[in-house]
Amino acid sequence: MYSKKVFIKTTLFLVSFLTLISSYGQEFPPIERFAPKDYNADDQNWSISQGTDENIYVSNNKGLLEYNGARWNLYTTTNQSIIRSVAVINDLVYTGSYMDFGFWEKNKYGTLKYYSISSNEKISLAEDEEFWNILELDRWILFQSLDRIYIFDTKTKSTNIIESETAITKL
């Protein structure tokens, strides 16, 4: 009688333990690491954002990286500069870089094409200005450098600038 109770308790314990282990192991997604040789760019990444298409966009020293879960694509800016910030907003990929900010839009072939806001608006940028953060606020996109905040109105396609007397470290 005693050995039958021990057998049942032991069996219940093992079944419960194995069920717990198998369900616990399924809760963690697989982690995949990528080396610079995998995505064919520099080893310094600055910012990351995900689009509604679930693609991952990374600002990198060599340009804008796009990862669709299977393949990496590298897009460079017209001035070949470091991209410091990235934010996907309404299916457009906004980026900030050295002396430039703008957005990327997919063409009919699915590749990204860059449109510079700062050069199209003929904005006078500060010397050696870099854009470290991008934020959406209703219909406006804010680009933050260390000295200014540029406010791009997505409806009127115009830009306003907020000057600062001190360094801007956060937006």
Side-chain angles (χ1 to χ4, degrees):
M1 183 83 166
Y2 180 74
S3 64
K4 190 174 183 180
K5 283 184 178 181
V6 171
F7 176 76
I8 292 172
K9 286 183 180 181
T10 305
T11 304
L12 286 173
F13 173 76
L14 286 174
V15 169
S16 299
F17 181 73
L18 291 174
T19 303
L20 177 68
I21 287 176
S22 66
S23 66
Y24 182 76
Q26 294 176 0
E27 289 188 26
F28 294 109
I31 296 173
E32 194 170 349
R33 293 184 55 165
F34 297 100
K37 67 179 181 174
D38 297 326
Y39 50 81
N40 198 27
D42 202 29
D43 64 349
Q44 198 163 21
N45 299 305
W46 295 98
S47 180
I48 187 167
S49 187
Q50 185 171 16
T52 55
D53 59 359
E54 297 189 7
N55 285 358
I56 301 292
Y57 299 91
V58 181
S59 58
N60 182 278
N61 280 1
K62 296 271 182 167
L64 176 67
L65 290 167
E66 176 188 43
Y67 182 64
N68 67 5
R71 196 176 79 234
W72 288 95
N73 290 314
L74 174 63
Y75 297 95
T76 56
T77 61
T78 51
N79 63 2
Q80 304 291 314
S81 68
I82 296 171
I83 295 181
R84 299 286 189 190
S85 56
V86 63
V88 180
I89 302 166
N90 299 329
D91 294 327
L92 294 177
V93 182
Y94 289 90
T95 57
S97 59
Y98 175 79
M99 299 298 289
D100 194 16
F101 63 89
F103 62 90
W104 303 77
E105 187 174 33
K106 286 194 176 185
N107 63 20
K108 65 182 180 181
Y109 304 109
T111 57
L112 294 172
K113 182 174 180 348
Y114 183 68
Y115 299 91
S116 174
I117 295 170
S118 57
S119 65
N120 289 345
E121 291 287 315
K122 296 182 177 37
I123 297 169
S124 179
L125 300 175
E127 185 178 342
D128 293 330
E129 195 162 22
E130 295 182 276
F131 296 90
W132 293 94
N133 202 356
I134 302 167
L135 183 70
E136 175 188 25
L137 183 63
D138 296 325
R139 71 182 213 202
W140 298 278
I141 308 298
L142 285 66
F143 295 88
Q144 177 240 316
S145 72
L146 295 178
D147 302 313
R148 301 173 176 168
I149 297 173
Y150 295 79
I151 303 169
F152 177 67
D153 188 326
T154 58
K155 291 196 187 229
T156 65
K157 307 296 185 211
S158 62
T159 306
N160 291 316
I161 302 169
I162 297 174
E163 299 273 350
S164 177
E165 294 179 11
T166 61
I168 305 169
T169 57
K170 294 283 182 185
L171 181 63

